[in-house]
Amino acid sequence: MHFDLAKTLVGLTFATGLIWAIDHWFFAKRRAAEVPAGEAPREPVLVEYARSFFPVLLIVLLFRSFLAEPFRIPTGSMMPTLLVGDFILVNKFAYGIRLPVLDKKIIDIGEPERGDVVVFRYPKNPQEDYIKRVIGKPGDEVSYRNKRLYINGKEMPQDSHGPYAGTDQESRDLVRRNAESLQENLETVQHRIITIPGEQVGMDFTVTVPPGHYFVMGDNRDRSSDSRFWGFVPEQNLVGKAFVIWMAWRGFGDGVVEFGRLGTLIK
């Protein structure tokens, strides 16, 4: 069963706030009047918990809804930029302020730029969060031929950095398959990608991004389920822009924590 943290936070914040407010306005004064002079009235346990937790829940709700939200990377589709076990923070106001749960934009701040690493609700199952890189903006013509990317007819340059090297479990599998590390230039953003020579994932194609949608791809080009397979990301599905790695948990078999990645800005 899917656990919706946003709805849970809203519900708990509303419930604790309501309990505290009702007690304050209707019952607290009556209890104070019934207590002998000099003694402090005792709050019911439920009211005490509500008063204690409401401010904390409210702060967490506001921070998570309008400022930043933490996510954990579960797959290797964004390698080498993001590794399995990386914990990231996502800027929730980069593309506009949205109401929690309703996901209705109330303030328009900006829009994704080509090369942004974005978290979004998977179009085929909005209960799942995906993370990919923006390749095509509304109106762009995106082509992919022989593992080379073309945007509006212009090839995005790629420079080889030799065989891909890594020590975590996902990286070791790529090393065994002779994966190659390249630097791709998306005009405004330069970033690393991984390809596996001899493997053809998906068909070559040319598409035009419709209004209000984005074309996204993973940096691990031959190990990513992205717009090449399931289509475009609607603007209303955007959650925010990934901007920093705050924890890199590798598990006990791979050194537990990779301290060198902590605080790494995501580009």
Side-chain angles (χ1 to χ4, degrees):
M1 184 176 67
H2 175 72
F3 176 72
D4 194 322
L5 181 57
K7 289 182 180 179
T8 302
L9 273 175
V10 170
L12 289 174
T13 304
F14 177 79
T16 53
L18 184 63
I19 291 170
W20 186 18
I22 290 175
D23 180 76
H24 175 77
W25 291 107
F26 296 102
F27 300 108
K29 292 181 180 179
R30 184 185 303 173
R31 283 199 306 272
E34 294 174 352
V35 172
E39 293 186 15
R42 285 192 65 181
E43 290 181 331
V45 174
L46 181 61
V47 174
E48 184 178 350
Y49 276 115
R51 179 173 55 81
S52 300
F53 282 111
F54 172 71
V56 177
L57 290 169
L58 181 62
I59 291 171
V60 171
L61 176 64
L62 293 175
F63 183 87
R64 183 184 180 276
S65 300
F66 302 118
L67 296 179
E69 183 176 356
F71 287 88
R72 178 184 181 276
I73 303 301
T75 72
S77 71
M78 280 299 293
M79 295 172 64
T81 306
L82 297 170
L83 306 180
V84 176
D86 282 349
F87 288 79
I88 65 171
L89 283 179
V90 172
N91 183 334
K92 295 295 292 287
F93 59 85
Y95 308 134
I97 302 295
R98 297 178 183 272
L99 292 174
V101 180
L102 298 177
D103 287 320
K104 180 178 176 57
K105 184 185 290 188
I106 55 176
I107 302 177
D108 192 2
I109 294 177
E111 60 183 28
E113 296 295 332
R114 186 176 297 113
D116 284 1
V117 177
V118 298
V119 171
F120 56 91
R121 294 188 305 280
Y122 178 40
K124 293 187 178 299
N125 182 6
Q127 293 184 334
E128 293 185 39
D129 293 315
Y130 272 32
I131 182 167
K132 305 292 177 187
R133 189 178 297 274
V134 174
I135 301 297
K137 300 171 62 178
D140 282 345
E141 180 187 83
V142 179
S143 299
Y144 195 65
R145 299 193 296 270
N146 194 27
K147 299 193 180 186
R148 308 287 293 199
L149 186 63
Y150 301 80
I151 299 177
N152 298 323
K154 181 180 179 180
E155 181 179 355
M156 300 294 102
Q158 294 178 353
D159 297 317
S160 176
H161 282 250
Y164 176 70
T167 57
D168 63 292
Q169 183 176 345
E170 295 285 335
S171 294
R172 289 193 290 268
D173 178 66
L174 290 169
V175 170
R176 285 194 296 269
R177 297 177 182 274
N178 301 314
E180 183 180 8
S181 176
L182 305 117
Q183 181 157 297
E184 185 174 72
N185 188 341
L186 293 178
E187 297 178 336
T188 57
V189 174
Q190 294 184 357
H191 67 106
R192 294 287 184 91
I193 64 172
I194 299 173
T195 64
I196 303 175
E199 290 197 16
Q200 180 67 32
V201 178
M203 301 291 291
D204 292 346
F205 62 86
T206 297
V207 297
T208 299
V209 184
H213 291 74
Y214 295 88
F215 187 94
V216 298
M217 295 176 69
D219 291 347
N220 191 355
R221 291 288 163 80
D222 296 320
R223 292 290 183 273
S224 174
S225 171
D226 49 41
S227 289
R228 293 173 291 178
F229 305 99
W230 42 255
F232 306 104
V233 177
E235 186 276 336
Q236 60 265 28
N237 284 45
L238 295 173
V239 173
K241 179 181 179 181
F243 69 96
V244 71
I245 299 169
W246 64 272
M247 174 57 72
W249 176 263
R250 298 291 171 258
F252 294 102
D254 289 313
V256 186
V257 176
E258 188 175 348
F259 290 97
R261 292 180 64 80
L262 307 190
T264 300
L265 297 180
I266 299 170
K267 298 179 180 180

